[in-house]
Amino acid sequence: TAIANGRTKDGNWLRITIPNTNTLAWVSTEVLTADSDIFQLDVVDNDTPFFQSFQVFTLQSGSEDAACPNAPESGLLIQTPNTFTEVTLIANGITLRIAATAFLQTGADSLTITVLDGTVEALAKGGAQYVPAGAQVHIPLDANFAASGPPGEAEPYDHDRAAPLPVNNLVYRFAIPEPLPQDAINAMVAAYYAPPPTPIPPTPQSEQD
């Protein structure tokens, strides 16, 4: 048996998750028996994303609420398997392309993403912001804790607020870095979004007698 998560418009094919894997595949309805109406499924194609459990969530936390100076504040600490393979998450309607250890925290009107290791790109409301380790970004939220505007500019984070986070309890341990200077952040963001260089065509070699 397999679980279907989408169908073609005509209902002739179902998109399934191959059992015991995260791999998607297509199967013809001619060779299966469904236990419910397949037309209740959404119409999807090869480019339609399928999110696993906990890939889409809404976070609501406190801020500046540490019980004592050496305790962490409320929030969500996330670590991906490594810092070079991106994982896509959707938090509060904000798409996060994350290959990092990051701390997410909501306040009264924004979500703050503090990047401790690796990198994050936050996309919301038509805007995008690259955030390297040592920086943070704020994304405005509405009363329902959903994104209400594009991400702000990446900026240095507060090391004193990041230092109490329990990174030693994570699978991959690292030292929390010092905040990056603003000019270094700006340079890294500019390099990330810079267009690729235009290839220079080779110069034809003249024929030799």
Side-chain angles (χ1 to χ4, degrees), residues 104-153:
L104 279 60
Q105 186 178 51
T106 60
D109 56 5
S110 67
L111 182 142
T112 300
I113 302 170
T114 301
V115 183
L116 308 171
D117 186 48
T119 62
V120 173
E121 186 180 24
L123 302 93
K125 299 298 182 180
Q129 181 60 57
Y130 173 78
V131 191
Q136 66 180 14
V137 66
H138 305 286
I139 301 99
L141 301 178
D142 61 22
N144 296 317
F145 290 89
S148 61
E153 299 295 325

Side-chain angles (χ1 to χ4, degrees), residues 4 8 20 23 27 34 51 75 93 96-97 102 107 109 112-113 128 141 154 177-178 201 207:
T8 55
N20 302 316
T23 303
V27 60
F51 296 104
L96 304 178
R97 296 173 180 164
D109 56 5
T112 300
I113 302 170
L141 301 178
E178 292 296 323
E207 294 184 359

Side-chain angles (χ1 to χ4, degrees), residues 7-76:
R7 63 176 174 88
T8 55
K9 186 175 181 180
D10 56 16
N12 290 336
W13 292 83
L14 299 185
R15 189 178 68 175
I16 65 167
T17 302
I18 297 177
N20 302 316
T21 75
N22 291 323
T23 303
L24 299 176
W26 291 90
V27 60
S28 169
T29 52
E30 294 181 356
V31 298
L32 59 80
T33 300
D35 62 3
S36 59
D37 183 7
I38 64 171
F39 286 94
Q40 293 179 358
L41 294 169
D42 292 333
V43 175
V44 299
D45 59 27
N46 289 333
D47 297 323
T48 305
F50 173 67
F51 296 104
Q52 306 287 343
S53 300
F54 302 109
Q55 275 191 275
V56 181
F57 59 89
T58 297
L59 173 67
Q60 182 178 351
S61 73
S63 62
E64 301 184 10
D65 59 353
C68 62
N70 294 322
E73 299 177 358
S74 299
L76 178 65

Side-chain angles (χ1 to χ4, degrees), residues 80-196:
T80 58
N82 54 61
T83 57
F84 50 84
T85 304
E86 287 186 349
V87 174
T88 299
L89 304 175
I90 298 180
N92 299 59
I94 303 158
T95 298
L96 304 178
R97 296 173 180 164
I98 174 172
T101 301
F103 183 60
L104 279 60
Q105 186 178 51
T106 60
D109 56 5
S110 67
L111 182 142
T112 300
I113 302 170
T114 301
V115 183
L116 308 171
D117 186 48
T119 62
V120 173
E121 186 180 24
L123 302 93
K125 299 298 182 180
Q129 181 60 57
Y130 173 78
V131 191
Q136 66 180 14
V137 66
H138 305 286
I139 301 99
L141 301 178
D142 61 22
N144 296 317
F145 290 89
S148 61
E153 299 295 325
E155 63 184 24
Y157 64 59
D158 186 338
H159 186 272
D160 291 339
R161 296 178 67 181
L165 293 172
V167 295
N168 286 336
N169 295 333
L170 300 174
V171 174
Y172 171 68
R173 298 186 180 186
F174 61 94
I176 294 178
E178 292 296 323
L180 286 174
Q182 187 65 61
D183 56 351
I185 295 173
N186 294 344
M188 295 174 74
V189 172
Y192 181 82
Y193 289 112

